[in-house]
Amino acid sequence: MNDSDNSNSQFLVDSPQMNGMMTTSSGAGGGGEDPLLMQPMNNATLQSVLGFLRKNGLTETEELLTREAAPVLRNDCTGLPPEEAISVEFDAFVQHANDCTDVIQAEFSQLLFPIFAHSYIALIEKHAPTARVFFDRFKIFIPECFSEYVFKLSLIEDSMTLRPNEYVNILRSNKVLVRLSKPTVKHLELIQTRLIGVKNIIAKHVCIENADEGTMSRTMIETQMGGLIGVTSKNEKRHKMMFSVVKDELMQNIEKRKAKGKDVVKRMQTAQHCPQHDRIPLPPISEHQRDERRNWLREVGKMAIISPETPVSICMYTTVNAPIGVASCDFSDDSSFIAMGLSDSSIVINAMDPMNKMKKLREMDHLEKIDVETADNVQSQMFDLQASTTSVRYTGHGGPVFSVNFSPDRRLLLSSSGDKTIRLWSMDAQTNVVIYRTPTMIWQVWESLFGLEMTQNPSGSFRGFYFATASTDKTVAVWSTDRMQPLRIFADSYGDVGCIDYHPNCNYVAGGSEDRYVRVWDVCTGTRVRIFGGHKGAIIGIKFSPDGRYLVSLDAIGNLMVWDLAYQRLVAAEITEQAGTKGHISFSRDGGVFAVSHGNSNIQLYSLDALIGSVTASGGGHNDVWMEPKVNMEGFQIGSYPTKQTAVIGLHFTRRNLLLGFGCFGQ
């Protein structure tokens, strides 16, 4: 007992804190207490202790202390005026996020913009000057990918400018979806116990979805951010998509040509993913279209296979003497014609080969006299060969021609303009035959933007019967050339739809909009079957791969992304500084590479085969939905080709894989 007493005495003597407590206790009978211990707990002291526990990984202790001290932490904010409490709580939330580990900090960054936006909106309604101070103080903490939306919020100065603001209405009517791991959710629950204002904002305006175990990394989180209403939900994966195309004789010959003497990347078996051949009604194939198909078959043997070892050959066409500018262009499928939509509302069509002139039909009174059953060489009698020319100008639009698109058989041309019309032109009669009127301006600056992507049937034989439009009223519409009204209207987007593309099997149409989402709709049922988010700017270009499985999209700040339609995942992201307002994507005829232009004086070439090979080698070729995307993968970009002073606004691969480019000098 004596040893124990001596030991305890020594411990008390050596411990200043315990010694102080012993002295105070013994001195209590003397009527004096330490003033420091008589002071109540305050928020500053508790925050320092919580920060210390958090940095040292003592999460359970932090959780216990937070819950026990919740009244003190809560009262520190509730005693302030509402406009000041919002600033104090947001500052505490930012500090908490900065003290967390790297991955948890990245996950918390998804919440910063919605909490910041709704806090600012609440302050605007209560006290505008305080709102401006709050905005200027905390805008630097918002991730860079939301800078455009932060700028939109900065234009709101009072409650009068708040009500009509489009972005505010979208944020108020939709919950922002974020995906958090279990540790991050636990951190969030802790901080919500003392930040009641933040808790209310999250409960009302944020939807939290649990992330799968082992799927969250900083790279994956950052590639998913950027959308106005958050990431895409897991529930979006419930729709089955028949993304494959039937391999006809032409496609089989192309694959054989590509596989000759090389190791071909093994891809998914696609037979079970093909839609029924009669799912979409199509007109019969004409004899002219059959001839075109046979001509293409004969050229397969001369097709070049592009790779890093065998670089692409590029032929760049530049137009001059266009003072107002060229708004759009398109090449015919057989590369025999090029159409230019000019800003002066006219359309110019040029023959690529001077020997292959454009023929014009004779007048109707002459055509009526031809006896089709008895006449010899009816074709020569129908066309006025003396009137054949290498260049034709079409007039009729009342505004800049934002898009032009040839039908696959080169007999029709579609155009859209700022005059809110779509015009169908006959290449044989060289005149306008149909005018489709729309309620909003059809604003398009490149191929497939605001419409005009002709389709092909599931076996690969082009028909040119359907076309799609995308407009400033945030909709995508599907039309047929034999009707004056759209067959389908897709109104899912929260921003102007900037680009569209038809799927190779004709069953789906994809659109990219200013809200930074890529959507894919089923033409037959009208269902949205895919949605992808992760772009950091308005989407300006979109294109399906020839095999139908992959989708490439391009945004205004230069980010290029490749999506896998089978598993609904991001496969690769290429972060560049090629910012622009016009974009164009074109696949080679074998689908192995694709060329990209951002509307500036540069063409980039990417290898889809190299990307698929890398994904397969890393084990992501199977049903690994949450595979981490390849960011700036080495070997993905296989070439960059600058021009001097010509902005590239059109790209096209010929049937022999010669890349054609088009631009306007000095534009």
Side-chain angles (χ1 to χ4, degrees):
M1 291 295 296
N2 292 335
D3 292 342
S4 300
D5 291 341
N6 293 337
S7 176
N8 289 336
S9 299
Q10 184 65 34
F11 175 74
L12 291 172
V13 171
D14 292 343
S15 175
Q17 293 180 350
M18 295 299 294
N19 188 37
M21 291 177 63
M22 180 180 65
T23 304
T24 303
S25 178
S26 63
E33 293 189 4
D34 192 338
L36 181 63
L37 297 179
M38 294 297 295
Q39 295 180 3
M41 290 186 296
N42 57 62
N43 186 274
T45 304
L46 287 173
Q47 291 290 357
S48 299
V49 175
L50 291 172
F52 175 80
L53 296 174
R54 192 180 308 120
K55 288 181 178 180
N56 289 275
L58 302 174
T59 55
E60 294 184 2
T61 307
E62 179 191 3
E63 182 180 356
L64 290 173
L65 179 58
T66 300
R67 289 177 179 173
E68 292 183 6
V72 178
L73 296 169
R74 190 181 302 117
N75 290 334
D76 188 78
C77 290
T78 54
L80 298 173
E83 56 271 15
E84 294 184 19
I86 292 176
S87 298
V88 171
E89 289 199 7
F90 189 80
D91 182 59
F93 184 83
V94 171
Q95 295 302 324
H96 182 94
N98 291 337
D99 290 339
C100 294
T101 59
D102 190 55
V103 175
I104 295 179
Q105 183 179 349
E107 293 184 54
F108 265 126
S109 65
Q110 302 176 78
L111 294 166
L112 289 177
F113 174 71
I115 295 174
F116 172 82
H118 287 288
S119 298
Y120 180 65
I121 293 170
L123 286 172
I124 283 287
E125 293 177 328
K126 295 177 180 178
H127 194 256
T130 305
R132 179 53 58 181
V133 173
F134 171 85
F135 184 90
D136 294 337
R137 178 183 175 187
F138 293 110
K139 65 181 180 180
I140 59 174
F141 296 105
I142 308 303
E144 181 66 23
C145 60
F146 297 108
S147 59
E148 180 183 348
Y149 299 139
V150 172
F151 173 75
K152 298 287 185 181
L153 289 175
S154 70
L155 302 178
I156 304 173
E157 299 179 351
D158 50 37
S159 58
M160 295 298 294
T161 56
L162 177 67
R163 297 189 189 98
N165 189 278
E166 179 182 8
Y167 289 92
V168 171
N169 294 331
I170 293 174
L171 287 171
R172 281 179 163 176
S173 58
N174 298 275
K175 284 191 172 184
V176 176
L177 179 64
V178 298
R179 189 173 293 115
L180 303 178
S181 61
K182 289 182 179 180
T184 306
V185 172
K186 195 172 183 180
H187 271 275
L188 186 61
E189 291 173 351
L190 285 176
I191 196 170
Q192 286 185 117
T193 59
R194 62 178 185 271
L195 303 180
I196 304 303
V198 170
K199 180 180 180 180
N200 293 336
I201 290 176
I202 293 175
K204 187 176 180 180
H205 300 289
V206 177
C207 179
I208 298 176
E209 192 174 81
N210 291 326
D212 294 343
E213 292 291 339
T215 62
M216 302 302 286
S217 66
R218 191 175 188 92
T219 300
M220 180 170 286
I221 295 167
E222 291 177 349
T223 54
Q224 292 176 354
M225 292 172 55
L228 182 59
I229 57 172
V231 301
T232 56
S233 174
K234 296 178 183 178
N235 296 330
E236 294 291 340
K237 304 182 185 303
R238 66 185 183 273
H239 300 290
K240 184 177 181 180
M241 182 176 178
M242 311 303 289
F243 57 84
S244 297
V245 294
V246 176
K247 295 182 180 180
D248 62 349
E249 183 182 2
L250 176 60
M251 295 185 66
Q252 291 175 2
N253 287 353
I254 291 176
E255 287 190 354
K256 291 178 182 178
R257 173 70 183 88
K258 186 176 180 179
K260 189 176 181 180
K262 294 185 178 180
D263 294 331
V264 180
V265 177
K266 186 178 181 181
R267 302 193 181 184
M268 175 187 291
Q269 296 296 325
T270 58
Q272 67 271 26
H273 300 287
C274 292
Q276 297 179 358
H277 69 280
D278 58 350
R279 188 170 185 264
I280 302 293
L282 292 168
I285 304 175
S286 66
E287 188 60 34
H288 177 77
Q289 291 170 325
R290 296 182 188 277
D291 290 339
E292 283 295 316
R293 205 67 176 172
R294 286 190 285 267
N295 292 336
W296 191 354
L297 275 169
R298 284 192 288 269
E299 292 193 57
V300 169
K302 302 177 182 178
M303 182 180 67
I305 304 301
I306 303 169
S307 67
E309 294 76 23
T310 55
V312 66
S313 296
I314 303 177
C315 180
M316 183 69 193
Y317 290 88
T318 300
T319 181
V320 294
N321 300 326
I324 301 180
V326 179
S328 58
C329 77
D330 187 44
F331 293 89
S332 62
D333 183 70
D334 65 349
S335 311
S336 59
F337 300 118
I338 181 173
M340 295 173 285
L342 306 183
S343 298
D344 65 0
S345 76
S346 64
I347 300 171
V348 175
I349 303 175
N350 290 329
M352 305 291 284
D353 184 0
M355 302 301 294
N356 184 22
K357 297 182 178 181
M358 287 174 280
K359 302 176 183 178
K360 184 178 180 180
L361 282 174
R362 297 181 182 274
E363 299 297 330
M364 185 57 66
D365 55 352
H366 186 277
L367 294 175
E368 291 177 348
K369 297 177 182 179
I370 300 176
D371 188 350
V372 179
E373 296 181 356
T374 61
D376 296 331
N377 200 356
V378 176
Q379 290 288 334
S380 62
Q381 296 186 44
M382 291 174 59
F383 292 94
D384 185 1
L385 299 181
Q386 294 182 352
S388 299
T389 180
T390 58
S391 181
V392 176
R393 181 183 292 268
Y394 295 160
T395 58
H397 278 297
V401 182
F402 292 134
S403 67
V404 287
N405 228 209
F406 283 103
S407 65
D409 60 3
R410 309 186 312 279
R411 292 188 171 183
L412 298 173
L413 179 75
L414 272 167
S415 62
S416 65
S417 170
D419 61 2
K420 302 181 183 179
T421 65
I422 304 163
R423 291 178 180 260
L424 183 65
W425 308 82
S426 170
M427 293 288 292
D428 293 334
Q430 297 182 6
T431 186
N432 182 210
V433 292
V434 183
I435 301 176
Y436 306 90
R437 302 191 182 277
T438 60
T440 57
M441 184 179 66
I442 306 297
W443 175 67
Q444 179 179 2
V445 289
W446 57 92
E447 179 187 3
S448 300
L449 183 60
F450 294 116
L452 318 188
E453 188 68 28
M454 290 296 196
T455 67
Q456 65 183 61
N457 73 344
S459 65
S461 299
F462 292 101
R463 309 293 180 91
F465 184 64
Y466 298 103
F467 65 94
T469 62
S471 58
T472 55
D473 61 359
K474 308 175 185 177
T475 64
V476 171
V478 175
W479 307 64
S480 67
T481 53
D482 63 346
R483 297 193 181 188
M484 298 300 296
Q485 301 297 328
L487 305 176
R488 288 280 187 274
I489 297 178
F490 309 111
D492 299 43
S493 302
Y494 298 105
D496 296 349
V497 182
C499 48
I500 56 174
D501 189 38
Y502 245 110
H503 193 275
N505 67 18
C506 188
N507 283 256
Y508 305 96
V509 62
S513 66
E514 288 185 351
D515 62 7
R516 305 180 179 181
Y517 293 99
V518 177
R519 296 174 176 86
V520 182
W521 295 277
D522 189 324
V523 173
C524 187
T525 64
T527 306
R528 188 188 69 201
V529 295
R530 293 289 185 270
I531 179 171
F532 301 107
H535 277 287
K536 309 301 185 286
I539 300 172
I540 61 174
I542 194 170
K543 194 70 176 177
F544 285 105
S545 63
D547 64 359
R549 177 172 174 179
Y550 297 95
L551 181 64
V552 181
S553 56
L554 180 69
D555 65 31
I557 66 172
N559 295 334
L560 182 139
M561 295 188 172
V562 181
W563 311 93
D564 187 343
L565 298 174
Y567 300 135
Q568 192 169 348
R569 65 185 180 187
L570 176 64
V571 180
E574 190 75 9
I575 312 301
T576 70
E577 297 181 356
Q578 301 286 336
T581 57
K582 302 178 181 181
H584 197 97
I585 305 169
S586 180
F587 271 89
S588 62
R589 295 303 175 111
D590 61 294
V593 301
F594 60 91
V596 175
S597 69
H598 300 257
N600 55 16
S601 57
N602 205 301
I603 300 174
Q604 289 87 38
L605 204 69
Y606 297 91
S607 174
L608 183 62
D609 284 342
L611 174 62
I612 297 173
S614 177
V615 171
T616 304
S618 61
H622 306 290
N623 190 8
D624 184 8
V625 179
W626 299 107
M627 177 202 73
E628 185 167 324
K630 308 286 185 182
V631 179
N632 291 347
M633 188 191 86
E634 185 178 356
F636 182 38
Q637 181 177 344
I638 59 176
S640 181
Y641 307 91
T643 64
K644 290 184 178 180
Q645 299 184 46
T646 301
V648 183
I649 61 174
L651 295 170
H652 171 78
F653 277 96
T654 68
R655 293 174 178 175
R656 299 186 182 183
N657 272 349
L658 170 67
L659 179 58
L660 305 180
F662 176 82
C664 182
F665 180 79
Q667 180 169 306

